[in-house]
Amino acid sequence: MKTDFKKKKNAKSKKRIQKRRWKRISISILFGIILFISILFVAFGMIRAAGKKSLRNKTGAGVPDLAFGMQSVELTKNEEAEWQEGWVKYHDKIYVYNEEILTFLFMGIDKDSAAEAVGEGTDGGSADALFLAVMNPKQKMIQVIGINRNTMTNVDIYNEEGEYVTTKKAQIAVAHGFGDGMEKSCEYQRKAVSELFYHLPIHGYAAVNMSAIPLINDAVGGVDVKVLEDLSAKDKTLVKGAEVHLMGESAFWYVKYRDPGIFGSADMRLARQKQYLNAFIRAAKEAVKKDVGTAARIYQEAASMMVTDIGLEEVAYLAPLIVDYSFYGEDSFRMLEGETVMGEKFEEFYVDETALYEMILEVFYEQKE
């Protein structure tokens, strides 16, 4: 009897010890999982913080130079007492540059191949699509500014040895043609756009060869548009007025094609690009909401056909933000106002300087009360 009692007692004791051991192991495993997840969140947070810092460091504390618009403006005594460098007075209102804004230049390059370096000269490829994407953290809003590829502005000219020759008025799209077709060409294009906007700080750029359009388009599940002009010569589905879900090559022709023999064809294509980009951003936002990894996949899909100074840590910072930003209505998508005329050989687009000046104040500045 004593032996049986002793055996039962030992068995219960072993069970209690075993139960405590498994409890300790379970707690350890749970703690390990929590620690691992915490490390992931901290690591992701550090990556995003590094991305944010990197974007800010690219432009320093630069602001647009709108001083010329104030040449005949008189300041009151109170304004003179409070005045700070970079402020702008226009129509009796004072404006201050919004330093929280992030501005990115997106270029569609007229090349149907992977991005690769070329010799110095004029073989870098024209920037047939030019858009500024403006992220305003205060309003949580994205605005896009479309730039006509024939916009006449100051463009730096280089020879075949890559040496600077002169600066002259030319179509803004040709700036990318100089250089190596890679980073150097992008920097030339960034400079031309920045100077057109009175030395506007541009925090990053992405130049995508047109051959990447089908991949990027399909990565978000395609894009819905109502066809603005007949392109059935290139794709039978692209009949004017038809409502289509663009996939693959259909998206390529809709964004890229224009007939140089038709006057104003660049303007017509820019209208299609504006419509497409508007619809693409909506599709991309929905895709990112469902899967935040979509942004990284788009980045990877286009990598071989893209030149960019926006790194993965910067993408990690931007992607979660974009989901919460609004992009709807005409106020979200702006076009430069101006006039297209026929030059000696090619079409030339001349910007309405007053309209451009006022748009810069409206988009990039805040009115000081």
Side-chain angles (χ1 to χ4, degrees):
M1 291 289 291
K2 288 184 179 180
T3 304
D4 292 340
F5 176 76
K6 194 172 183 180
K7 285 181 179 179
K8 288 180 181 179
K9 188 176 180 181
N10 290 338
K12 288 181 180 180
S13 179
K14 285 180 180 180
K15 284 182 180 180
R16 283 197 297 270
I17 293 170
Q18 196 172 33
K19 191 175 181 180
R20 284 197 296 268
R21 184 183 298 145
W22 277 112
K23 190 175 180 180
R24 286 197 300 271
I25 293 172
S26 299
I27 291 171
S28 299
I29 292 172
L30 181 61
F31 177 77
I33 292 171
I34 293 171
L35 181 61
F36 179 69
I37 292 172
S38 299
I39 290 171
L40 285 180
F41 274 108
V42 170
F44 184 65
M46 290 174 67
I47 290 170
R48 294 193 68 223
K52 181 179 180 180
K53 183 178 180 181
S54 175
L55 288 170
R56 294 294 179 189
N57 287 343
K58 286 179 181 178
T59 61
V63 299
D65 181 11
L66 300 183
F68 94 96
M70 294 182 56
Q71 291 175 358
S72 59
V73 173
E74 292 186 4
L75 301 178
T76 66
K77 289 184 178 180
N78 287 338
E79 289 169 349
E80 285 181 351
E82 295 183 17
W83 197 259
Q84 294 184 23
E85 185 178 356
W87 287 11
V88 178
K89 186 175 181 179
Y90 187 72
H91 290 176
D92 293 327
K93 296 178 182 178
I94 296 177
Y95 297 87
V96 181
Y97 179 66
N98 181 356
E99 294 183 354
E100 292 188 28
I101 273 180
L102 291 171
T103 305
F104 301 92
L105 174 62
F106 290 93
M107 302 164 262
I109 309 303
D110 187 20
K111 284 194 172 185
D112 299 334
S113 61
E116 53 188 10
V118 298
E120 295 281 357
T122 57
D123 295 328
S126 298
D128 279 351
L130 287 167
F131 296 94
L132 282 176
V134 186
M135 293 180 63
N136 188 331
K138 291 183 178 180
Q139 298 176 351
K140 287 197 172 183
M141 181 178 182
I142 297 173
Q143 295 189 74
V144 174
I145 301 171
I147 303 169
N148 192 310
R149 56 101 57 214
N150 292 325
T151 300
M152 300 300 288
T153 190
N154 290 329
V155 174
D156 292 341
I157 308 299
Y158 297 83
N159 62 22
E160 293 184 355
E161 284 71 45
E163 298 171 337
Y164 169 78
V165 177
T166 186
T167 298
K168 70 176 187 178
K169 288 281 185 182
Q171 287 85 350
I172 196 169
V174 306
H176 188 276
F178 298 103
D180 57 359
M182 301 292 281
E183 287 81 3
K184 188 180 288 187
S185 292
C186 290
E187 290 298 340
Y188 291 162
Q189 190 65 66
R190 169 154 56 182
K191 181 182 178 185
V193 173
S194 175
E195 291 191 1
L196 173 66
F197 283 77
Y198 304 102
H199 303 283
L200 175 74
I202 297 176
H203 298 86
Y205 63 76
V208 184
N209 288 357
M210 292 295 190
S211 52
I213 293 170
L215 296 174
I216 297 172
N217 178 87
D218 294 0
V220 300
V223 172
D224 295 317
V225 299
K226 185 174 182 178
V227 180
L228 296 181
E229 61 178 300
D230 188 77
L231 303 173
S232 57
K234 288 296 181 182
D235 188 311
K236 293 180 180 179
T237 66
L238 301 179
V239 179
K240 184 176 180 179
E243 295 185 358
V244 298
H245 182 71
L246 296 173
M247 292 293 292
E249 290 299 310
S250 295
F252 172 80
W253 290 119
Y254 197 74
V255 173
K256 181 179 185 288
Y257 181 71
R258 77 179 178 103
D259 185 349
I262 299 176
F263 179 76
S265 62
D267 299 1
M268 294 158 64
R269 181 177 64 181
L270 182 57
R272 294 199 315 268
Q273 290 173 345
K274 169 188 173 181
Q275 177 205 32
Y276 174 83
L277 189 56
N278 206 337
F280 175 84
I281 290 174
R282 286 198 296 268
K285 284 186 67 175
E286 290 302 315
V288 171
K289 279 182 182 178
K290 294 176 183 176
D291 179 7
V292 73
T294 300
R297 281 196 295 276
I298 293 173
Y299 186 95
Q300 291 166 353
E301 287 281 1
S304 64
M305 289 165 277
M306 177 173 65
V307 180
T308 181
D309 66 345
I310 305 171
L312 281 174
E313 61 183 18
E314 293 165 341
V315 172
Y317 167 66
L318 294 170
L321 292 181
I322 292 172
V323 175
D324 295 327
Y325 278 49
S326 63
F327 183 88
Y328 298 104
E330 288 300 315
D331 289 343
S332 297
F333 208 124
R334 298 166 179 265
M335 307 289 279
L336 295 188
E337 296 181 30
E339 181 184 12
T340 296
V341 300
M342 193 64 205
E344 291 184 10
K345 292 184 178 180
F346 306 105
E347 293 177 16
E348 300 174 352
F349 179 81
Y350 289 89
V351 172
D352 182 324
E353 293 290 348
T354 300
L356 173 60
Y357 191 88
E358 291 176 350
M359 183 179 68
I360 291 172
L361 287 175
E362 188 175 345
V363 175
F364 299 96
Y365 283 72
E366 296 175 315
Q367 185 178 333
K368 181 176 172 57
E369 297 298 335

